Amino acid sequence: MASRIEFVEYVTDQLRGAGNIVYKKMFGEYGLYCDGKIFAVICDDQLFIKITEKGKELVPALSEAPPYKGAKNYLLVEDVDDWELLTRLVKVTYEQLPDPKPKKKTGIRKAKTT
């Protein structure tokens, strides 16, 4: 079952205090980005946030689960209505995630002439 866009928009609205939150459709589900870093995915209308040490310390009661078959575990956030806790969780998670790697420039290369 694919996630509903209404759920994705609700979650991103709940997280607006954490930074510039955007979502991108990925493989039929959604990736969530905060200021350019992917920090979570939404699969089957469930929010999964990447596991970090500080995130686990902040909300130790959250269970860990893979968002899809074959994926590594994420923190499964079942209560997406507590925007204050979600905002804190995203902020501490964001701080511990590495910066995104610069994208390689791709384009048309000129053929060598001999």
Side-chain angles (χ1 to χ4, degrees), residues 90-109:
V90 170
K91 284 181 176 183
V92 300
T93 299
Y94 173 87
E95 290 171 1
Q96 289 203 286
L97 294 175
D99 289 331
K101 294 178 182 174
K103 292 185 179 187
K104 293 181 182 177
K105 289 186 179 183
T106 59
I108 300 173
R109 295 184 186 180

Side-chain angles (χ1 to χ4, degrees), residues 24-36:
K24 294 183 183 178
K25 194 150 182 135
M26 301 171 65
F27 309 108
E29 294 293 353
Y30 295 88
L32 297 181
Y33 294 77
C34 178
D35 298 327

